[in-house]
Amino acid sequence: MQKPTYGRFGGQFVPEVLMPALNELEEEYERYKEAPEFLRELNYYLTEFAGRSTPLYHARNLSKKYGTKIYLKREDLVHGGAHKLNNTIGQALLAKYMGKKRLIAETGAGQHGTATAMAGANMGFETVVYMGAKDVERQRMNVYRMELMGTKVHPVRSGSMTLKDAINEALRDWVTNVENTHYLIGSVVGPHPYPMIVRDFQSVIGTEVKQQIMEKEGRLPDSIVACAGGGSNAMGIFHPFVEDTDVKLLPVEAGGCGMQVQGKTAMHSASLGAGEEGILQGARTLILQDKYGQILESTSVSAGLDYSGVGPELAHLAETGRIQPGSVNDQEALDAFHELCRLEGIIPALESSHALAYIKKMADTGELGDLVVVSLSGRGDKDLETVLKVKATAGDEKL
Ligand SMILES: *Cc1c(COP(=O)(O)O)cnc(C)c1O
């Protein structure tokens, strides 16, 4: 029995054969994470390849509408259009220092796969991405993007042919090829040390926010709002503020569609708010499961929030009361999506639109305070087809 890492959450619930690989990863990460040469190279890639730092943008029109000063942390401007590259650059560089030649990853909607393909191509890795055959079918453009960058996309035809089956295949590959292969996990999930490593690489978001808000406002914000799927953009922006207890940290989950869906499916993706303790992807955390402990598939209009669990550190911070989870439904997120387009000339990702919708929802309560930072985790160009489809089925003039 392994020791959990974050209160009763976290740990390493994996087959014995994987333990040497996890131990190696932890040791090597501890060795390099503060090494000047590693940090210099990491900073080079983040600046020159990813385009950091990203602006902390005062959204004047949005602020006016909701009567509180709102800043957007523009991760949508990172190369690739989302925060995901911060982590894939970090882990790819770590893999290079570890002497690995090959990167593997699993991807659901294809966004993490694409960010892995970018880092892999740039740093000269052989890159393989496992993806459920159903997802390969649904996400043809992302598959093509990955292939353009030299990544081999491996369709997984076992089980439900979706993300969880792709995870199993990636683990199987890792066990077999651990000598020369790094398994690049895409959010603050999985067995220790992954939640810590991904959080650290994403903390560049919060570190920049802290410096930028001090320069612009001379004080820390009253609250920080971020959407949470696995939780990497949320942990990344929250982490440097966890000790600053006057700053409210508000993760927002996908409340889904509220429609009846058949089979083993939850009606939402709100594992922080409505999940129960269980084991998912090698860690003890809060997950959506039925009374027999079977994982429920989540549902959300936004592919990036469609995950049945949440990172163990977020589960712990929620349990101890340091963060207060909220949720918004698909319609509220879609409304916020359109509102930001019109008011600020910025098309947000549907994931990020959940964070924006929470501002709208909470503005009247006064709980957000006078100075709010929102993590704009990604741009929405990838979501236009989804938005059009919803619009067509809803026949909703308002959209
Ligand atoms: C993947 C993704 C998310 C969700 O992932 P987290 O690990 O919860 O951050 C959120 N926003 C965007 C734009 C994404 O691509």
Side-chain angles (χ1 to χ4, degrees):
M1 179 61 186
Q2 300 291 333
K3 253 198 183 161
T5 318
Y6 307 103
R8 61 200 175 98
F9 300 111
Q12 297 176 309
F13 297 86
V14 297
E16 203 56 43
V17 290
L18 277 178
M19 285 310 295
L22 292 176
N23 290 337
E24 182 197 7
L25 178 60
E26 185 175 3
E27 276 166 27
E28 298 283 287
Y29 177 65
E30 292 298 336
R31 174 137 75 111
Y32 292 120
K33 73 174 187 188
E34 272 153 22
E37 197 193 328
F38 179 81
L39 291 176
R40 195 163 46 237
E41 216 174 330
L42 177 62
N43 189 48
Y44 166 81
Y45 282 106
L46 290 176
T47 310
E48 303 294 326
F49 184 57
R52 303 207 71 90
S53 57
T54 61
L56 183 67
Y57 178 70
H58 176 210
R60 292 189 313 279
N61 302 322
L62 203 65
S63 300
K64 204 163 163 190
K65 175 150 188 190
Y66 293 112
T68 177
K69 197 161 191 182
I70 302 168
Y71 280 92
L72 306 177
K73 181 56 174 166
R74 300 288 310 272
E75 293 302 294
D76 60 316
L77 297 177
V78 173
H79 175 46
H83 67 293
K84 287 200 165 67
L85 192 68
N86 302 329
N87 169 50
T88 58
I89 283 178
Q91 283 193 54
L93 189 65
L94 178 62
K96 194 171 119 181
Y97 274 70
M98 290 170 72
K100 309 285 179 185
K101 305 287 180 226
R102 201 169 160 265
L103 296 178
I104 59 168
E106 85 277 339
T107 195
Q111 292 155 239
H112 171 57
T114 304
T116 304
M118 285 173 171
N122 193 271
M123 293 188 206
F125 285 95
E126 178 196 340
T127 308
V128 177
V129 168
Y130 290 91
M131 194 169 180
K134 266 192 203 156
D135 291 327
V136 168
E137 205 48 50
R138 287 190 285 223
Q139 303 286 343
R140 298 222 318 278
M141 280 304 158
N142 273 336
V143 172
Y144 187 50
R145 266 184 203 112
M146 289 183 254
E147 287 173 350
L148 282 172
M149 292 182 277
T151 288
K152 187 176 180 316
V153 179
H154 195 107
V156 177
R157 295 184 210 288
S158 54
S160 56
M161 299 195 270
T162 56
L163 180 63
K164 65 178 169 35
D165 313 290
I167 292 173
N168 289 337
E169 274 309 304
L171 281 170
R172 206 163 298 153
D173 180 321
W174 201 31
V175 171
T176 317
N177 301 301
V178 64
E179 201 93 330
N180 72 345
T181 299
H182 174 66
Y183 179 21
L184 208 164
I185 288 186
S187 190
V188 286
V189 300
H192 180 73
Y194 281 103
M196 171 181 79
I197 291 177
V198 178
R199 175 201 70 198
D200 288 353
F201 286 136
Q202 291 292 3
S203 289
V204 65
I205 307 173
T207 304
E208 285 177 10
V209 167
K210 207 166 198 177
Q211 194 183 341
Q212 290 167 319
I213 199 80
M214 288 308 291
E215 279 166 17
K216 286 169 198 276
E217 296 289 336
R219 71 170 180 104
L220 297 183
D222 295 316
S223 48
I224 303 178
V225 184
C227 65
S232 69
N233 87 93
M235 270 321 302
I237 198 167
F238 292 166
H239 184 61
F241 294 91
V242 167
E243 307 287 315
D244 302 306
T245 48
D246 288 343
V247 182
K248 280 190 186 159
L249 305 176
L250 308 169
V252 183
E253 297 186 285
C257 56
M259 289 183 332
Q260 287 298 329
V261 257
Q262 298 201 323
K264 283 186 176 171
T265 307
M267 290 186 293
H268 54 76
S269 310
S271 25
L272 263 183
E276 288 167 31
E277 184 176 324
I279 309 284
L280 182 66
Q281 232 181 322
R284 184 186 298 281
T285 188
L286 294 172
I287 57 184
L288 303 174
Q289 54 190 339
D290 67 14
K291 61 181 176 186
Y292 305 108
Q294 293 290 312
I295 309 298
L296 295 168
E297 280 184 35
S298 58
T299 51
S300 166
V301 70
S302 98
L305 298 185
D306 218 345
Y307 181 66
S308 305
V310 66
E313 189 170 12
L314 280 169
H316 175 62
L317 290 172
E319 189 171 72
T320 57
R322 178 62 191 93
I323 63 176
Q324 284 95 43
S327 76
V328 302
N329 65 32
D330 287 352
Q331 187 59 53
E332 292 167 318
L334 282 161
D335 290 345
F337 168 90
H338 286 94
E339 184 172 77
L340 195 74
C341 295
R342 289 202 190 114
L343 285 182
E344 299 288 348
I346 297 169
I347 303 177
L350 284 176
E351 292 88 357
S352 324
S353 300
H354 284 74
L356 294 163
Y358 198 62
I359 304 269
K360 199 178 164 117
K361 199 166 174 167
M362 298 298 284
D364 289 341
T365 67
E367 281 188 37
L368 296 172
D370 302 324
L371 188 57
V372 185
V373 173
V374 187
S375 172
L376 199 69
S377 54
R379 67 171 181 233
D381 304 61
K382 66 179 176 60
D383 295 317
L384 298 189
E385 227 173 306
T386 307
V387 173
L388 276 174
K389 220 178 278 170
V390 174
K391 203 162 151 177
T393 38
D396 188 343
E397 288 296 305
K398 196 165 56 116
L399 296 175

